[in-house]
Amino acid sequence: MILVFIGTAGSGKTTLSAAFGRYLEENGYSVGYVNLDTGVKSLPYRPDVDVRESVTAWELMEEGLGPNGAIVESYDRLLPEVDEYASRIARLDGERDYIMVDTPGQMETFLFHEFGVRLMESLPEPLAVYLFGPEILKEPHDFCFVRFFSLMIDLRLGTTTVPALSKVDTVEDLEGYRKFLDDIEYLTARLKLEPSTQGLLAHKMCSALPELAPPTRVVYLSARTGEGFDELETLAHEHRCTCGDLT
């Protein structure tokens, strides 16, 4: 079972990849780790597949490129090897129960570069986990944004995507977050009261979300406390055996 962690820089992808992998190992599963970030210097896990074997952004910066240019160039250079990396991950999937795929810190590099799209198209039934932190959820329309962005990842990569609120151990009123994220009807009704242009747009978008979005549920995770790990394991099992619709 391949789990692909996707999210913005600081959303907790790498930490969660390591922590959830340890959780699975402690429960008797064999776990493989894949690093797709050419810009990371150190990792809290030992990768079985690592794109830094081919190229690193740091090497390209020494050639004179800036940080953003080096990252983009690194995936340009990785593109001819995408099929080989997909094959290596697929072989690892055959050897281990679970595979943790840690994507680049700059999420747009993975989503908008052909390397990420082609890799995901080549993997056997991966489950994408879109991580977002509580710090971006300030207004009602922010909750609409993360639900729709999860759907956009699904559309871009062509794989089932589960939205996941990370760092829930830092949230004081988690039930308040759950009310907005779990109950689309409640969120839509709340957005109807927003007088701003953002509120109006979000209301229209959320009104269409039940019809557009595949059936899934939001996961609430903490790499520090392990909260939600059992739920994520259940979702992965349902995705793998197709015995549930992820609602």
Side-chain angles (χ1 to χ4, degrees):
M1 177 67 224
I2 300 175
L3 291 174
V4 182
F5 294 96
I6 299 171
T8 56
S11 61
K13 298 183 298 295
T14 298
T15 304
L16 191 65
S17 296
F20 187 59
R22 286 194 300 270
Y23 163 85
L24 293 170
E25 290 170 338
E26 291 168 358
N27 282 277
Y29 296 104
S30 59
V31 180
Y33 298 89
V34 176
N35 171 53
L36 298 181
D37 192 347
T38 61
V40 68
K41 282 193 171 181
S42 62
L43 294 167
Y45 56 82
R46 179 177 296 177
D48 299 278
V49 178
D50 191 344
V51 292
R52 296 177 301 173
E53 299 166 359
S54 300
V55 63
T56 71
W58 303 100
E59 294 169 341
L60 297 177
M61 288 174 65
E62 291 176 359
E63 295 179 11
L65 292 173
N68 292 331
I71 289 171
V72 173
E73 175 64 20
S74 69
Y75 291 98
D76 286 344
R77 297 191 186 186
L78 282 172
L79 187 57
E81 302 179 47
V82 65
D83 292 335
E84 173 61 24
Y85 275 107
S87 296
R88 291 177 63 185
I89 296 171
R91 287 197 299 270
L92 188 63
D93 183 42
E95 299 168 359
R96 311 286 175 86
D97 296 315
Y98 285 90
I99 307 299
M100 306 291 107
V101 179
D102 186 12
T103 62
Q106 288 78 4
M107 178 173 60
E108 63 274 15
T109 304
F110 191 71
L111 290 179
F112 299 119
H113 197 285
E114 189 178 355
F115 177 84
V117 176
R118 283 182 52 184
L119 182 74
M120 291 295 286
E121 290 175 345
S122 302
L123 296 181
E125 298 297 329
L127 177 65
V129 181
Y130 164 50
L131 296 175
F132 53 92
E135 65 276 1
I136 71 170
L137 301 175
K138 303 297 184 183
E139 303 293 339
H141 58 259
D142 296 327
F143 292 85
C144 180
F145 171 80
V146 295
R147 291 304 305 266
F148 251 92
F149 202 86
S150 177
L151 183 60
M152 292 299 99
I153 293 173
D154 197 321
L155 176 63
R156 174 65 175 165
L157 299 180
T159 186
T160 300
T161 302
V162 174
L165 177 63
S166 63
K167 307 176 187 178
V168 296
D169 57 285
T170 67
V171 176
E172 294 183 2
D173 181 21
L174 184 57
E175 287 307 310
Y177 283 76
R178 284 181 176 271
K179 184 180 293 186
F180 280 107
L181 289 170
D182 292 339
D183 191 340
I184 296 299
E185 290 185 0
Y186 175 84
L187 176 58
T188 302
R190 178 65 179 78
L191 287 167
K192 193 174 183 179
L193 304 176
E194 293 291 307
S196 66
T197 302
Q198 286 173 304
L200 176 61
L201 177 59
H203 176 261
K204 291 181 178 179
M205 292 173 66
C206 276
S207 297
L209 192 59
E211 181 179 354
L212 296 174
T216 187
R217 57 189 181 270
V218 179
V219 189
Y220 299 86
L221 302 170
S222 168
R224 188 174 69 85
T225 67
E227 184 173 348
F229 282 7
D230 54 345
E231 178 69 8
L232 182 56
E233 181 187 355
T234 299
L235 276 171
H237 175 72
E238 291 175 355
H239 178 72
R240 176 169 54 187
C241 71
T242 66
C243 61
D245 63 3
L246 304 190
T247 56

